Amino acid sequence: MSDQRSLDCAIVRGGTSKGVFVRESELPAADRDAVVLSLFGSPDPRQIDGLGGATSTTSKLMVVGPAVEGVDADVSYTFGQVAVDKPVIDWSGNCGNLTSAIGAFAVDEGLVNVPADADAVELRLHNTNTDAHIDQRVPLADGSAATEGDFEIHGVPGSGARVDTTFLDPEGSLTDGLFPLGGPTIERTIDGRTLELTVLDVTTPIAFVRATDLGLTATETPDDIDTNPDLLDELEAIRAFICAELGFVDDPADAATESPGYPKLVFVAPPADYETSDGRTVAAEEIDLLARYMAMGKLHPVYAVTGVACTSAAARLPGTVVADVADVDDGETVTLGHPRGAMSATPTVRTDPPAVDSVTVYRTQRRLMDGTGYY
């Protein structure tokens, strides 16, 4: 192995995503993008020469270390969305699913102190991409992060130990505020068609549009969307237009390469019975709305944690496109239907004036392997 360089790393599932976790001290300070692309095997549709999983939900990096100096947190971490077929790493946002595994990784790597005989530890996380603070409750077993439990999430087989993650002050993660383009709704004419949208930034910026305005139902599976190149181009044109208006790129034509991960595009519809991509039936009364989430030019096979955080907040904010289609009750938790089932989040929302104080999501995590990665 003398002609290769190496680093210690782990492959970890967090929620319905999977990624490579590396301690901050392991990743070289110079040429980080080149190191990461080599480690993942990008660009290549199969990532055959690296650790990447060849999909947007399995080609992710978390760099974890002690809290940045001057930051009130136990751990700081940085997320990188590694493109599969392009030599691009998007460092601009966060991944909520993998965030659910940050505390467990920190515990098992000895980055935080764990009280003796404790059954859980409460940690304050700091995401460097968005300068966000996150409170996380990590269940423990014999001083290590617990994985066994009875909490189930759709999109992951079996059950696991529940990790509660609360995003604090989540407004304006990458923009100037809650409704960065005004709102709660705006109208824009894109490629000759006028659409009503809500552009909301809660843990991540998302452009929401009604599924019916796109000729869709929000019951679609990845096979329905990802095999239709004309539809993918149409959806990316909407996202790219908003991307430029938010100032992430100068020209919408550059959005796919310069800001492929942000903003996201989500299309929503009222609750309805539907069949999941793995053949199960979700009843309308189990959910408050239907939602489908575009990620890196494809339909997300499940749903992002930051996505459900933003969507749940939107459902509780009067006047948004999401609130218009959602059938929410008087409780705090919002449940959406995605391609693999249902997913819930609990936003703390004020309506006059509109504000979101926090959002809590519920996931599981598991370390799958650790060892030496070569680049």
Side-chain angles (χ1 to χ4, degrees):
M1 298 298 180
S2 60
D3 64 343
Q4 294 195 80
R5 293 165 292 176
S6 65
L7 51 75
D8 292 337
C9 61
I11 295 179
V12 180
R13 177 188 61 79
T16 55
S17 289
K18 184 165 62 176
V20 177
F21 280 51
V22 181
R23 292 179 63 135
E24 171 69 34
S25 57
E26 281 289 309
L27 197 61
D31 300 321
R32 280 197 166 187
D33 279 22
V35 169
V36 172
L37 290 170
S38 177
L39 185 68
F40 275 70
S42 291
D44 171 49
R46 295 191 299 156
Q47 290 182 319
I48 194 65
D49 198 35
L51 299 180
T55 69
S56 66
T57 56
T58 57
S59 185
K60 300 185 174 192
L61 173 74
M62 283 292 193
V63 184
V64 188
V68 172
E69 185 176 354
V71 171
D72 179 21
D74 298 298
V75 176
S76 289
Y77 72 96
T78 302
F79 169 63
Q81 177 70 61
V82 184
V84 174
D85 55 357
K86 299 181 179 69
V88 174
I89 305 170
D90 194 334
W91 299 100
S92 61
N94 190 15
C95 172
N97 268 300
L98 288 191
T99 292
S100 65
I102 292 294
F105 182 81
V107 167
D108 291 343
E109 292 292 313
L111 292 171
V112 295
N113 294 320
V114 177
D117 301 324
D119 61 2
V121 62
E122 304 278 348
L123 298 176
R124 171 66 58 87
L125 313 179
H126 168 238
N127 174 247
T128 66
N129 307 79
T130 60
D131 198 28
H133 288 81
I134 299 141
D135 283 346
Q136 190 167 88
R137 182 182 186 276
V138 181
L140 301 174
D142 298 325
S144 298
T147 58
E148 295 183 356
D150 58 6
F151 187 68
E152 298 181 4
I153 59 175
H154 292 162
V156 177
S159 61
R162 193 180 89 175
V163 178
D164 295 358
T165 302
T166 300
F167 295 86
L168 306 173
D169 299 321
E171 296 182 19
S173 66
L174 296 178
T175 68
D176 292 334
L178 188 64
F179 296 111
L181 299 182
T185 61
I186 60 173
E187 282 193 356
R188 295 293 186 271
T189 300
I190 304 170
D191 288 349
R193 177 171 56 184
T194 300
L195 294 171
E196 185 178 36
L197 307 99
T198 290
V199 179
L200 185 72
D201 187 351
V202 173
T203 72
T204 192
I206 296 179
F208 294 97
V209 63
R210 292 179 186 85
T212 52
D213 291 346
L214 303 174
L216 301 171
T217 64
T219 62
E220 289 81 7
T221 67
D223 283 347
D224 297 324
I225 302 296
D226 296 348
T227 57
N228 187 336
D230 290 339
L231 177 59
L232 290 176
D233 288 345
E234 177 184 339
L235 296 173
E236 175 58 20
I238 299 169
R239 192 197 73 85
F241 185 96
I242 299 300
C243 185
E245 190 165 352
L246 287 171
F248 295 168
V249 293
D250 294 329
D251 188 327
D254 298 326
T257 54
E258 293 183 11
S259 186
Y262 307 94
K264 304 298 188 186
L265 178 70
V266 169
F267 49 97
V268 295
D273 298 346
Y274 73 99
E275 186 173 291
T276 66
S277 56
D278 56 349
R280 295 180 299 105
T281 298
V282 176
E285 56 265 26
E286 298 178 49
I287 57 177
D288 299 313
L289 74 152
L290 292 164
R292 296 296 184 265
Y293 183 96
M294 299 301 297
M296 302 295 284
K298 305 289 186 182
L299 185 70
H300 197 295
V302 188
Y303 211 84
V305 162
T306 50
V308 75
C310 191
T311 306
S312 67
R316 290 290 180 191
L317 290 169
T320 67
V321 165
V322 181
D324 179 59
V325 303
D327 183 16
V328 294
D329 56 25
D330 293 332
E332 295 180 347
T333 298
V334 175
T335 301
L336 60 82
H338 57 65
R340 289 294 296 271
M343 185 175 180
S344 300
T346 305
T348 302
V349 172
R350 289 174 283 134
T351 58
D352 189 19
V356 181
D357 296 327
S358 66
V359 185
T360 300
V361 294
Y362 316 97
R363 308 308 271 161
T364 63
Q365 65 79 36
R366 189 166 80 93
R367 183 183 291 229
L368 306 177
M369 65 80 62
D370 49 38
T372 304
Y374 294 91
Y375 60 92

